[in-house]
Amino acid sequence: MRDQAAPDVDRATPSAERRDWVAALTTPGRERDKALRDLHGLMLRAARHQVWRMRPMLGNAGHDTCEELANQAADDALAILLVKVHTFRGRSRFTTWAYKFAILQAATEVRRQAWRKRGISLADAAGRTGVRPGPEPHGQAPQPATA
C-alpha cells in the first residue's frame, strides 16, 4: 500500500517537459517567476518522496517534521540548481536533472536530522582511540628468499 504523503515523482506534466527551462529560469520577468514556482513544486514532490522513503531513519518523526524537511530540501535544492543551471547539457530531461538536486538534498537533510539526536559517549569513543602499530614492524620483517 502506498503512503498518501509520498506522491509519485514520475508524473511530470507534458507542458512542463516542453518548456525551455533554462531560458525561462535565466530571463527576468513573469515567465521566470512562473518557472520558479513550477520548478519548486516539482522539486518539492521529489523531496517529499525521498523524505518519506527515508522516514525510518527519523525514528518517530511526525508528518510535520517530514514536511518541514521536504520543504527545506526543496528550497535548498532550488537555490543550488539556480547557481548551476548554466551547466545543464540536455543529456536528460531538465526535470530529471532537477529531481536529482531535490533527492540528494532531501537525503542529506534526513541524514542530518537523524544524526542530530544521536550521541556518542566519551567512554565508547575512548576505547576506539587506542594506538595501532605503524608500518615499522612490517618494514623490519625478513625479506623473502630469492631463487
Side-chain angles (χ1 to χ4, degrees):
M1 186 168 133
R2 206 156 208 209
D3 191 344
Q4 293 298 325
D8 187 7
V9 182
D10 294 328
R11 289 182 288 156
T13 60
S15 62
E17 284 309 314
R18 285 193 294 260
R19 170 187 283 167
D20 183 4
W21 284 98
V22 175
L25 291 169
T26 55
T27 306
R30 288 184 184 186
E31 187 174 342
R32 181 175 195 263
D33 294 341
K34 181 174 179 358
L36 286 171
R37 279 192 307 274
D38 292 347
L39 185 58
H40 186 269
L42 291 170
M43 295 181 99
L44 182 57
R45 278 198 348 235
R48 276 186 183 132
H49 174 79
Q50 186 68 10
V51 168
W52 284 94
R53 191 179 76 74
M54 296 177 72
R55 186 177 183 190
M57 288 181 70
L58 298 173
N60 59 357
H63 182 269
D64 291 342
T65 301
C66 291
E67 279 298 305
E68 183 179 325
L69 286 172
N71 275 300
Q72 182 65 43
D75 292 347
D76 292 348
L78 182 59
I80 294 166
L81 182 137
L82 290 174
V83 170
K84 296 184 177 198
V85 72
H86 68 281
T87 66
F88 178 66
R89 293 195 176 118
R91 290 187 285 182
S92 64
R93 293 184 316 186
F94 184 85
T95 52
T96 301
W97 187 71
Y99 284 149
K100 176 188 77 168
F101 287 92
I103 288 170
L104 292 175
Q105 191 62 37
T108 299
E109 293 292 331
V110 169
R111 285 190 300 272
R112 186 176 294 140
Q113 180 72 16
W115 279 99
R116 200 171 277 153
K117 295 183 180 182
R118 291 186 184 174
I120 299 175
S121 72
L122 293 177
D124 290 342
R128 294 189 178 115
T129 60
V131 177
R132 295 183 180 174
E136 293 84 19
H138 298 291
Q140 297 172 0
Q143 297 296 320
T146 56

